[in-house]
Coordinates of all heavy atoms in Angstrom, one line a residue:
M12 N -6.4 17.3 -1.4 CA -6.1 18.6 -0.9 C -6.3 19.6 -2.0 O -5.9 19.5 -3.1 CB -4.6 18.6 -0.5 CG -4.2 19.8 0.2 SD -2.4 19.9 0.7 CE -2.2 18.3 1.6
D13 N -7.0 20.7 -1.7 CA -7.3 21.7 -2.6 C -6.2 22.8 -2.5 O -6.1 23.6 -1.7 CB -8.6 22.4 -2.3 CG -9.0 23.5 -3.3 OD1 -8.2 23.6 -4.3 OD2 -10.0 24.2 -3.0
H14 N -5.2 22.7 -3.5 CA -4.1 23.6 -3.5 C -4.4 25.0 -4.0 O -3.6 25.9 -3.8 CB -3.0 23.0 -4.4 CG -2.5 21.6 -3.9 ND1 -1.8 21.4 -2.8 CD2 -2.7 20.4 -4.5 CE1 -1.5 20.1 -2.7 NE2 -2.1 19.5 -3.7
A15 N -5.6 25.2 -4.5 CA -6.0 26.5 -5.0 C -6.1 27.6 -3.9 O -5.9 28.7 -4.2 CB -7.4 26.4 -5.7
T16 N -6.3 27.1 -2.7 CA -6.4 28.1 -1.6 C -5.0 28.3 -0.9 O -4.9 29.1 0.0 CB -7.4 27.6 -0.5 OG1 -6.9 26.4 0.0 CG2 -8.7 27.4 -1.1
H17 N -4.0 27.7 -1.4 CA -2.6 27.8 -0.8 C -1.8 28.9 -1.4 O -2.0 29.3 -2.5 CB -1.9 26.5 -0.9 CG -2.6 25.3 -0.2 ND1 -2.4 24.0 -0.5 CD2 -3.6 25.3 0.7 CE1 -3.1 23.3 0.2 NE2 -3.9 24.0 1.0
T18 N -0.9 29.5 -0.6 CA -0.1 30.6 -1.0 C 1.2 30.2 -1.6 O 2.0 29.4 -0.9 CB 0.2 31.5 0.2 OG1 -1.1 31.9 0.8 CG2 0.9 32.8 -0.2
R19 N 1.5 30.6 -2.8 CA 2.7 30.2 -3.5 C 3.9 30.9 -2.8 O 3.8 32.1 -2.4 CB 2.7 30.6 -5.0 CG 3.8 30.0 -5.7 CD 3.6 30.3 -7.2 NE 4.8 29.8 -7.9 CZ 4.8 29.3 -9.1 NH1 3.6 29.3 -9.8 NH2 5.9 28.9 -9.7
L20 N 5.0 30.2 -2.6 CA 6.2 30.8 -2.0 C 6.8 31.8 -2.9 O 6.9 31.7 -4.1 CB 7.2 29.7 -1.6 CG 6.9 28.7 -0.6 CD1 8.0 27.8 -0.3 CD2 6.3 29.3 0.7
A21 N 7.4 32.9 -2.3 CA 8.1 33.9 -3.1 C 9.5 33.3 -3.4 O 10.0 32.4 -2.7 CB 8.3 35.2 -2.2
D22 N 10.1 33.8 -4.5 CA 11.4 33.3 -4.9 C 12.4 33.3 -3.8 O 13.3 32.4 -3.6 CB 12.0 34.1 -6.1 CG 11.2 33.9 -7.4 OD1 10.4 32.9 -7.4 OD2 11.3 34.6 -8.3
G23 N 12.4 34.4 -2.9 CA 13.3 34.5 -1.8 C 13.1 33.4 -0.7 O 14.0 33.2 0.1
E24 N 12.0 32.7 -0.8 CA 11.7 31.6 0.2 C 12.2 30.3 -0.3 O 12.1 29.3 0.4 CB 10.2 31.5 0.5 CG 9.7 32.8 1.2 CD 8.2 32.6 1.5 OE1 7.4 32.8 0.5 OE2 7.8 32.3 2.6
L25 N 12.7 30.2 -1.5 CA 13.1 29.0 -2.1 C 14.6 28.7 -1.6 O 15.5 28.9 -2.3 CB 13.1 29.0 -3.6 CG 11.7 29.3 -4.2 CD1 11.7 29.4 -5.7 CD2 10.7 28.2 -3.8
N26 N 14.7 28.2 -0.4 CA 15.9 27.9 0.2 C 15.8 26.7 1.1 O 14.7 26.2 1.4 CB 16.4 29.1 1.0 CG 15.4 29.5 2.1 OD1 15.0 28.7 3.0 ND2 15.0 30.8 2.1
E27 N 17.0 26.1 1.6 CA 17.0 24.9 2.3 C 16.1 25.0 3.6 O 15.4 24.0 3.9 CB 18.4 24.5 2.6 CG 18.5 23.1 3.2 CD 19.9 22.6 3.3 OE1 20.9 23.4 3.3 OE2 20.0 21.3 3.3
A28 N 16.2 26.1 4.3 CA 15.5 26.2 5.6 C 14.0 26.1 5.4 O 13.3 25.5 6.2 CB 15.8 27.5 6.2
T29 N 13.5 26.6 4.3 CA 12.1 26.6 4.0 C 11.6 25.3 3.4 O 10.5 24.8 3.7 CB 11.7 27.8 3.1 OG1 12.1 29.0 3.7 CG2 10.2 27.9 2.9
L30 N 12.4 24.7 2.5 CA 11.9 23.6 1.6 C 12.2 22.2 2.2 O 11.6 21.2 1.8 CB 12.6 23.7 0.3 CG 12.4 25.0 -0.5 CD1 13.0 24.9 -1.9 CD2 10.9 25.4 -0.6
M31 N 13.1 22.1 3.2 CA 13.5 20.8 3.7 C 12.3 20.1 4.3 O 11.4 20.7 4.9 CB 14.5 20.9 4.9 CG 15.9 21.1 4.4 SD 16.5 19.7 3.4 CE 16.6 18.4 4.7
D32 N 12.2 18.8 3.9 CA 11.1 17.9 4.4 C 9.7 18.2 3.8 O 8.7 17.7 4.3 CB 11.0 17.9 5.9 CG 12.3 17.4 6.6 OD1 12.9 16.4 6.0 OD2 12.7 17.9 7.6
A33 N 9.7 19.1 2.8 CA 8.4 19.4 2.2 C 7.9 18.2 1.4 O 8.7 17.5 0.8 CB 8.5 20.6 1.3
T34 N 6.6 17.9 1.5 CA 6.0 16.8 0.8 C 5.8 17.2 -0.7 O 5.3 18.4 -0.9 CB 4.7 16.3 1.4 OG1 5.0 15.9 2.8 CG2 4.1 15.1 0.7
V35 N 6.0 16.3 -1.6 CA 5.8 16.6 -3.0 C 4.6 15.8 -3.5 O 4.6 14.6 -3.3 CB 7.0 16.4 -3.9 CG1 6.7 16.6 -5.4 CG2 8.2 17.2 -3.4
Y36 N 3.6 16.5 -4.1 CA 2.4 15.8 -4.6 C 2.4 15.8 -6.1 O 2.7 16.8 -6.7 CB 1.1 16.5 -4.0 CG 1.0 16.4 -2.6 CD1 1.4 17.4 -1.7 CD2 0.4 15.2 -2.0 CE1 1.3 17.3 -0.4 CE2 0.3 15.2 -0.6 CZ 0.7 16.2 0.2 OH 0.6 16.1 1.6
G37 N 1.9 14.7 -6.7 CA 1.7 14.6 -8.2 C 0.4 15.2 -8.7 O -0.4 15.7 -7.9
P38 N 0.2 15.0 -10.0 CA -1.0 15.6 -10.6 C -2.3 15.0 -10.1 O -3.3 15.7 -10.1 CB -0.8 15.3 -12.1 CG 0.2 14.2 -12.2 CD 1.1 14.3 -10.9
G39 N -2.3 13.8 -9.6 CA -3.5 13.3 -9.0 C -3.6 13.5 -7.5 O -4.3 12.8 -6.8
D40 N -2.7 14.4 -7.0 CA -2.6 14.7 -5.5 C -2.1 13.5 -4.7 O -2.2 13.4 -3.5 CB -4.0 15.1 -5.0 CG -3.8 16.0 -3.8 OD1 -2.8 16.8 -3.8 OD2 -4.6 16.0 -2.9
E41 N -1.4 12.6 -5.5 CA -0.7 11.5 -4.7 C 0.6 11.9 -4.2 O 1.3 12.8 -4.8 CB -0.6 10.2 -5.7 CG 0.5 10.4 -6.7 CD 0.0 11.1 -8.0 OE1 -1.0 11.8 -8.0 OE2 0.8 11.1 -8.9
K42 N 1.0 11.4 -3.1 CA 2.3 11.7 -2.5 C 3.4 11.1 -3.3 O 3.4 9.9 -3.5 CB 2.4 11.3 -1.1 CG 3.8 11.7 -0.4 CD 3.8 11.3 1.0 CE 5.2 11.6 1.5 NZ 5.4 11.2 2.9
I43 N 4.3 11.9 -3.8 CA 5.4 11.4 -4.7 C 6.7 11.2 -3.8 O 7.4 10.2 -4.0 CB 5.7 12.4 -5.8 CG1 4.6 12.2 -6.9 CG2 7.1 12.1 -6.5 CD1 4.7 13.1 -8.1
G44 N 7.0 12.1 -2.9 CA 8.2 12.0 -2.1 C 8.3 13.2 -1.2 O 7.4 14.0 -1.0
T45 N 9.6 13.3 -0.7 CA 9.8 14.3 0.3 C 11.2 15.0 0.0 O 12.1 14.3 -0.4 CB 10.0 13.7 1.7 OG1 8.7 13.0 2.0 CG2 10.2 14.8 2.8
V46 N 11.3 16.3 0.1 CA 12.5 17.0 -0.1 C 13.5 16.6 0.9 O 13.3 16.7 2.1 CB 12.3 18.6 -0.1 CG1 13.6 19.3 -0.2 CG2 11.3 19.0 -1.2
S47 N 14.7 16.1 0.5 CA 15.7 15.7 1.4 C 17.0 16.6 1.4 O 17.7 16.5 2.4 CB 16.2 14.2 1.1 OG 16.8 14.2 -0.1
H48 N 17.1 17.4 0.4 CA 18.3 18.2 0.3 C 18.0 19.4 -0.7 O 17.2 19.2 -1.6 CB 19.5 17.4 -0.2 CG 20.8 18.1 0.1 ND1 21.4 18.1 1.3 CD2 21.6 18.7 -0.7 CE1 22.5 18.8 1.2 NE2 22.7 19.1 0.0
V49 N 18.6 20.5 -0.5 CA 18.4 21.6 -1.4 C 19.8 22.2 -1.8 O 20.7 22.4 -0.9 CB 17.6 22.7 -0.7 CG1 17.4 23.9 -1.6 CG2 16.2 22.1 -0.3
H50 N 20.0 22.4 -3.0 CA 21.3 23.1 -3.5 C 20.9 24.4 -4.1 O 20.2 24.5 -5.1 CB 21.9 22.2 -4.6 CG 22.4 20.9 -4.2 ND1 23.4 20.6 -3.4 CD2 21.9 19.6 -4.5 CE1 23.6 19.3 -3.2 NE2 22.7 18.7 -3.9
G51 N 21.4 25.5 -3.5 CA 21.2 26.8 -4.0 C 20.0 27.5 -3.4 O 19.4 27.1 -2.4
M52 N 19.7 28.7 -4.0 CA 18.6 29.5 -3.5 C 17.9 30.1 -4.7 O 18.5 30.3 -5.7 CB 19.1 30.6 -2.5 CG 19.6 30.1 -1.2 SD 20.2 31.5 -0.2 CE 18.7 32.4 0.1
G53 N 16.6 30.5 -4.5 CA 15.9 31.2 -5.5 C 15.4 30.3 -6.7 O 15.3 29.1 -6.5
V54 N 15.2 30.9 -7.8 CA 14.6 30.2 -9.0 C 15.4 29.1 -9.6 O 14.9 28.2 -10.3 CB 14.1 31.2 -10.1 CG1 13.0 32.0 -9.5 CG2 15.2 32.0 -10.6
S55 N 16.8 29.1 -9.4 CA 17.6 28.1 -10.0 C 18.0 27.0 -9.0 O 18.9 26.2 -9.2 CB 18.9 28.7 -10.5 OG 19.6 29.3 -9.4
T56 N 17.2 26.9 -7.9 CA 17.5 26.0 -6.8 C 17.3 24.5 -7.3 O 16.3 24.2 -8.0 CB 16.6 26.2 -5.7 OG1 16.8 27.5 -5.2 CG2 16.8 25.2 -4.5
Q57 N 18.2 23.6 -7.0 CA 18.1 22.2 -7.3 C 17.5 21.6 -6.0 O 18.1 21.7 -4.9 CB 19.4 21.6 -7.7 CG 19.3 20.2 -8.1 CD 20.6 19.6 -8.5 OE1 21.6 19.7 -7.8 NE2 20.7 19.0 -9.7
V58 N 16.5 20.8 -6.2 CA 15.8 20.2 -5.0 C 15.9 18.7 -5.2 O 15.6 18.1 -6.2 CB 14.3 20.6 -5.0 CG1 13.6 19.9 -3.9 CG2 14.1 22.1 -5.0
I59 N 16.5 18.0 -4.1 CA 16.6 16.6 -4.1 C 15.4 16.0 -3.4 O 15.1 16.3 -2.3 CB 17.9 16.1 -3.4 CG1 19.1 16.9 -4.0 CG2 18.1 14.6 -3.6 CD1 19.3 16.9 -5.5
V60 N 14.7 15.1 -4.1 CA 13.4 14.5 -3.6 C 13.7 13.0 -3.5 O 14.1 12.4 -4.4 CB 12.2 14.8 -4.6 CG1 11.0 14.1 -4.1 CG2 12.0 16.3 -4.8
D61 N 13.4 12.5 -2.3 CA 13.4 11.1 -2.0 C 12.1 10.5 -2.5 O 11.0 10.9 -1.9 CB 13.7 10.8 -0.5 CG 15.1 11.0 -0.1 OD1 16.0 11.1 -1.0 OD2 15.3 11.1 1.1
V62 N 12.2 9.6 -3.5 CA 11.0 9.0 -4.0 C 10.9 7.5 -3.7 O 11.9 6.8 -3.7 CB 11.0 9.1 -5.6 CG1 9.7 8.6 -6.2 CG2 11.1 10.6 -6.0
G63 N 9.7 7.0 -3.3 CA 9.5 5.6 -3.0 C 10.0 5.3 -1.7 O 10.3 6.2 -0.8
G64 N 10.2 4.1 -1.4 CA 10.7 3.6 -0.1 C 9.6 3.7 0.9 O 8.4 4.0 0.7
F65 N 10.0 3.4 2.2 CA 9.0 3.4 3.3 C 9.7 3.9 4.5 O 10.8 3.4 4.9 CB 8.5 2.0 3.5 CG 7.4 2.0 4.7 CD1 6.2 2.5 4.5 CD2 7.8 1.4 5.9 CE1 5.3 2.5 5.5 CE2 6.9 1.3 6.9 CZ 5.6 1.9 6.7
L66 N 9.3 5.0 5.1 CA 9.9 5.6 6.2 C 11.3 6.0 6.0 O 12.2 5.8 6.8 CB 9.7 4.7 7.5 CG 8.3 4.4 7.9 CD1 8.4 3.4 9.1 CD2 7.6 5.7 8.3
G67 N 11.6 6.4 4.8 CA 13.0 6.8 4.4 C 13.9 5.7 4.0 O 15.0 5.9 3.6
L68 N 13.4 4.4 4.1 CA 14.3 3.3 3.7 C 14.0 2.9 2.3 O 12.8 2.8 1.9 CB 14.0 2.1 4.7 CG 14.3 2.3 6.2 CD1 13.8 1.2 7.0 CD2 15.7 2.6 6.4
G69 N 15.0 2.7 1.5 CA 14.9 2.3 0.2 C 14.4 3.4 -0.8 O 14.0 3.1 -1.9
A70 N 14.4 4.6 -0.3 CA 14.0 5.7 -1.2 C 15.1 6.1 -2.2 O 16.3 5.9 -1.9 CB 13.7 7.0 -0.3
K71 N 14.7 6.5 -3.3 CA 15.7 6.9 -4.4 C 15.7 8.5 -4.5 O 14.7 9.1 -4.7 CB 15.2 6.3 -5.7 CG 16.1 6.8 -6.9 CD 15.5 6.2 -8.2 CE 16.2 6.7 -9.4 NZ 15.6 6.3 -10.6
P72 N 16.9 9.1 -4.2 CA 17.0 10.5 -4.4 C 17.1 10.9 -5.8 O 17.9 10.4 -6.6 CB 18.3 10.9 -3.6 CG 19.1 9.6 -3.6 CD 18.1 8.5 -3.7
V73 N 16.3 11.8 -6.3 CA 16.3 12.4 -7.6 C 16.4 13.9 -7.6 O 15.9 14.5 -6.6 CB 15.2 11.9 -8.5 CG1 15.2 10.4 -8.7 CG2 13.8 12.4 -8.0
A74 N 17.0 14.5 -8.6 CA 17.2 16.0 -8.6 C 16.1 16.6 -9.5 O 16.0 16.2 -10.6 CB 18.6 16.3 -9.1
L75 N 15.5 17.6 -9.0 CA 14.5 18.4 -9.8 C 14.9 19.9 -9.6 O 15.6 20.2 -8.6 CB 13.1 18.2 -9.3 CG 12.5 16.8 -9.4 CD1 11.2 16.6 -8.6 CD2 12.3 16.4 -10.9
T76 N 14.4 20.7 -10.4 CA 14.6 22.2 -10.2 C 13.3 22.8 -9.7 O 12.2 22.2 -9.8 CB 15.0 22.9 -11.5 OG1 14.0 22.7 -12.4 CG2 16.3 22.3 -12.0
T77 N 13.4 23.9 -9.1 CA 12.2 24.6 -8.6 C 11.2 24.9 -9.7 O 10.1 25.1 -9.5 CB 12.5 25.9 -7.8 OG1 13.4 26.7 -8.6 CG2 13.2 25.5 -6.5
S78 N 11.7 25.0 -11.0 CA 10.8 25.3 -12.1 C 9.9 24.1 -12.4 O 8.9 24.2 -13.1 CB 11.6 25.7 -13.3 OG 12.4 24.6 -13.8
Q79 N 10.3 22.9 -11.9 CA 9.5 21.7 -12.1 C 8.5 21.4 -11.0 O 7.8 20.5 -11.0 CB 10.4 20.5 -12.3 CG 11.3 20.5 -13.5 CD 12.4 19.5 -13.5 OE1 13.2 19.4 -12.5 NE2 12.5 18.7 -14.5
L80 N 8.6 22.3 -10.0 CA 7.8 22.1 -8.8 C 7.2 23.5 -8.4 O 7.7 24.5 -8.7 CB 8.7 21.7 -7.6 CG 9.4 20.4 -7.7 CD1 10.5 20.3 -6.7 CD2 8.4 19.2 -7.6
T81 N 6.0 23.4 -7.8 CA 5.3 24.7 -7.3 C 5.3 24.5 -5.8 O 4.5 23.7 -5.3 CB 3.9 24.8 -7.9 OG1 4.0 24.9 -9.4 CG2 3.3 26.1 -7.4
F82 N 6.1 25.3 -5.1 CA 6.1 25.3 -3.7 C 5.1 26.3 -3.1 O 4.9 27.4 -3.6 CB 7.5 25.6 -3.1 CG 8.4 24.5 -3.3 CD1 9.3 24.4 -4.3 CD2 8.5 23.5 -2.3 CE1 10.2 23.3 -4.5 CE2 9.4 22.4 -2.4 CZ 10.2 22.3 -3.5
M83 N 4.4 25.8 -2.1 CA 3.3 26.7 -1.5 C 3.2 26.3 0.0 O 3.7 25.3 0.5 CB 2.0 26.5 -2.3 CG 1.5 25.1 -2.3 SD 0.2 24.9 -3.5 CE 1.1 24.7 -5.0
R84 N 2.5 27.2 0.7 CA 2.1 27.0 2.1 C 0.6 26.7 2.2 O -0.2 27.4 1.5 CB 2.4 28.2 2.9 CG 3.7 28.3 3.5 CD 3.9 29.3 4.6 NE 5.3 29.3 5.0 CZ 6.2 30.0 4.4 NH1 6.0 30.6 3.3 NH2 7.5 29.9 4.8
D85 N 0.3 25.7 3.0 CA -1.2 25.4 3.2 C -1.7 26.3 4.2 O -1.0 27.2 4.7 CB -1.4 23.9 3.5 CG -0.8 23.5 4.8 OD1 -0.5 24.3 5.7 OD2 -0.7 22.2 5.0
N86 N -3.0 26.1 4.6 CA -3.6 27.0 5.5 C -3.0 26.9 6.9 O -3.2 27.8 7.8 CB -5.1 26.7 5.6 CG -5.8 27.0 4.2 OD1 -5.3 27.8 3.4 ND2 -6.8 26.2 3.9
D87 N -2.3 25.9 7.2 CA -1.6 25.7 8.5 C -0.2 26.3 8.5 O 0.5 26.2 9.5 CB -1.6 24.2 8.9 CG -3.0 23.7 9.2 OD1 -3.9 24.5 9.7 OD2 -3.2 22.5 8.9
G88 N 0.3 26.7 7.3 CA 1.6 27.2 7.2 C 2.6 26.2 6.8 O 3.8 26.5 6.7
D89 N 2.2 25.0 6.6 CA 3.1 23.9 6.2 C 3.5 24.0 4.7 O 2.6 24.2 3.9 CB 2.5 22.5 6.4 CG 2.3 22.3 7.9 OD1 3.1 22.8 8.8 OD2 1.3 21.6 8.3
V90 N 4.8 23.9 4.4 CA 5.3 24.0 3.0 C 5.1 22.6 2.3 O 5.5 21.6 2.9 CB 6.7 24.5 3.0 CG1 7.3 24.5 1.6 CG2 6.8 25.9 3.6
H91 N 4.7 22.6 1.1 CA 4.6 21.4 0.3 C 4.8 21.9 -1.2 O 4.8 23.1 -1.5 CB 3.3 20.7 0.5 CG 2.1 21.4 0.1 ND1 1.6 22.4 0.9 CD2 1.3 21.4 -1.0 CE1 0.5 22.9 0.4 NE2 0.3 22.3 -0.8
A92 N 4.8 20.9 -2.1 CA 5.0 21.2 -3.5 C 4.1 20.3 -4.3 O 3.7 19.3 -3.9 CB 6.4 21.0 -3.9
T93 N 3.7 20.9 -5.5 CA 3.0 20.1 -6.5 C 3.8 20.0 -7.8 O 4.7 20.9 -8.0 CB 1.6 20.7 -6.8 OG1 1.8 22.0 -7.3 CG2 0.7 20.7 -5.6
T94 N 3.6 19.0 -8.6 CA 4.3 18.9 -9.9 C 3.4 18.2 -10.9 O 2.5 17.5 -10.5 CB 5.6 18.1 -9.7 OG1 6.3 18.0 -11.0 CG2 5.4 16.6 -9.2
A95 N 3.6 18.5 -12.1 CA 2.8 17.8 -13.2 C 3.4 16.5 -13.5 O 2.8 15.7 -14.2 CB 2.9 18.7 -14.5
W96 N 4.6 16.1 -13.0 CA 5.2 14.8 -13.2 C 4.5 13.8 -12.3 O 4.2 14.0 -11.2 CB 6.7 14.9 -12.8 CG 7.5 15.8 -13.7 CD1 7.3 17.1 -14.1 CD2 8.8 15.4 -14.2 NE1 8.3 17.5 -14.8 CE2 9.2 16.6 -15.0 CE3 9.6 14.3 -14.2 CZ2 10.4 16.5 -15.6 CZ3 10.8 14.3 -14.9 CH2 11.2 15.4 -15.6
T97 N 4.4 12.6 -12.9 CA 3.8 11.5 -12.1 C 4.9 10.8 -11.3 O 6.1 11.0 -11.6 CB 3.2 10.4 -13.0 OG1 4.3 9.8 -13.8 CG2 2.2 11.0 -13.9
K98 N 4.5 10.0 -10.3 CA 5.5 9.3 -9.5 C 6.4 8.4 -10.4 O 7.6 8.3 -10.2 CB 4.8 8.5 -8.5 CG 5.7 7.9 -7.4 CD 4.9 7.3 -6.3 CE 5.8 7.0 -5.1 NZ 5.1 6.7 -3.9
D99 N 5.8 7.7 -11.4 CA 6.6 6.9 -12.3 C 7.6 7.6 -13.1 O 8.7 7.2 -13.3 CB 5.7 6.1 -13.2 CG 4.9 5.0 -12.5 OD1 5.4 4.6 -11.4 OD2 3.9 4.5 -13.0
Q100 N 7.2 8.8 -13.6 CA 8.2 9.7 -14.3 C 9.3 10.1 -13.5 O 10.5 10.1 -13.9 CB 7.4 10.9 -14.9 CG 6.5 10.6 -16.0 CD 5.7 11.9 -16.4 OE1 5.1 12.6 -15.5 NE2 5.6 12.1 -17.7
I101 N 9.0 10.5 -12.2 CA 10.1 10.9 -11.3 C 11.0 9.8 -10.9 O 12.2 9.9 -10.9 CB 9.5 11.7 -10.1 CG1 9.0 13.0 -10.6 CG2 10.6 11.9 -9.0 CD1 8.3 13.9 -9.6
K102 N 10.4 8.6 -10.7 CA 11.2 7.4 -10.3 C 12.1 7.0 -11.4 O 13.2 6.4 -11.2 CB 10.3 6.3 -9.9 CG 9.7 6.3 -8.5 CD 8.8 5.1 -8.4 CE 9.1 4.4 -7.1 NZ 8.1 3.3 -6.9
A103 N 11.7 7.3 -12.7 CA 12.6 7.0 -13.8 C 13.8 7.9 -14.0 O 14.7 7.6 -14.8 CB 11.7 7.0 -15.1
L104 N 13.8 9.0 -13.3 CA 15.0 9.9 -13.4 C 16.2 9.2 -12.8 O 16.1 8.3 -11.9 CB 14.7 11.2 -12.6 CG 13.6 12.1 -13.2 CD1 13.3 13.2 -12.3 CD2 14.0 12.6 -14.6
P105 N 17.4 9.7 -13.2 CA 18.6 9.1 -12.7 C 18.7 9.4 -11.2 O 18.3 10.5 -10.7 CB 19.7 9.7 -13.5 CG 19.1 10.9 -14.2 CD 17.7 10.6 -14.3
E106 N 19.3 8.5 -10.5 CA 19.5 8.7 -9.0 C 20.5 9.8 -8.8 O 21.6 9.9 -9.5 CB 20.0 7.4 -8.4 CG 20.2 7.5 -6.9 CD 20.5 6.2 -6.2 OE1 20.3 5.1 -6.8 OE2 20.9 6.2 -5.1
H107 N 20.3 10.7 -7.9 CA 21.2 11.8 -7.5 C 22.2 11.3 -6.5 O 21.9 10.7 -5.5 CB 20.4 13.0 -6.9 CG 21.3 14.1 -6.5 ND1 21.9 14.9 -7.3 CD2 21.7 14.4 -5.2 CE1 22.6 15.8 -6.6 NE2 22.5 15.5 -5.3
H108 N 23.5 11.6 -6.8 CA 24.5 11.2 -5.9 C 25.2 12.5 -5.4 O 25.5 13.4 -6.2 CB 25.6 10.4 -6.6 CG 25.1 9.1 -7.1 ND1 24.9 8.0 -6.3 CD2 24.7 8.7 -8.4 CE1 24.4 7.0 -7.0 NE2 24.2 7.4 -8.3
H109 N 25.3 12.6 -4.1 CA 25.9 13.8 -3.4 C 27.3 14.0 -3.8 O 28.1 13.2 -3.9 CB 25.8 13.8 -1.9 CG 24.3 13.8 -1.5 ND1 23.6 14.9 -1.4 CD2 23.5 12.8 -1.0 CE1 22.4 14.6 -0.9 NE2 22.3 13.4 -0.8

């Protein structure tokens, strides 16, 4: 996927309604996980990403901040994120507990 043509979200769009279920892609454009929960709004938002698993089963929730992710809309208007972190680096983070 060519993210260069996608529109970056404004800080005011960094909220649960916009970010829920967004797919997160790694540096090689591989799917890392999906946003399952959002704490806060704006630039200090904590985003919980379910990593690994299959169809939501066995996934590990990890906490990232919006500064570690770049959220954008594709040409169809779907929200997704990219990160410089690899899937292995994110899987190595501590599990987030609600």
Side-chain angles (χ1 to χ4, degrees):
M12 183 181 309
D13 181 8
H14 301 288
T16 63
H17 299 161
T18 307
R19 189 174 178 147
L20 296 186
D22 291 346
E24 293 180 286
L25 300 176
N26 58 55
E27 187 167 26
T29 305
L30 305 182
M31 278 299 293
D32 299 322
T34 300
V35 178
Y36 295 97
D40 209 33
E41 72 280 10
K42 182 178 175 182
I43 288 180
T45 305
V46 174
S47 65
H48 198 75
V49 178
H50 298 289
M52 292 178 65
V54 293
S55 62
T56 302
Q57 186 180 48
V58 179
I59 310 308
V60 177
D61 284 344
V62 181
F65 182 70
L66 299 176
L68 300 174
K71 175 185 175 182
V73 297
L75 298 170
T76 62
T77 52
S78 64
Q79 295 167 306
L80 300 163
T81 302
F82 283 96
M83 58 192 81
R84 271 196 182 80
D85 66 17
N86 300 332
D87 295 328
D89 295 326
V90 174
H91 62 282
T93 59
T94 182
W96 292 49
T97 67
K98 190 170 193 167
D99 287 341
Q100 287 173 314
I101 291 179
K102 279 177 129 175
L104 293 172
E106 184 171 346
H107 173 76
H108 298 281
H109 295 281

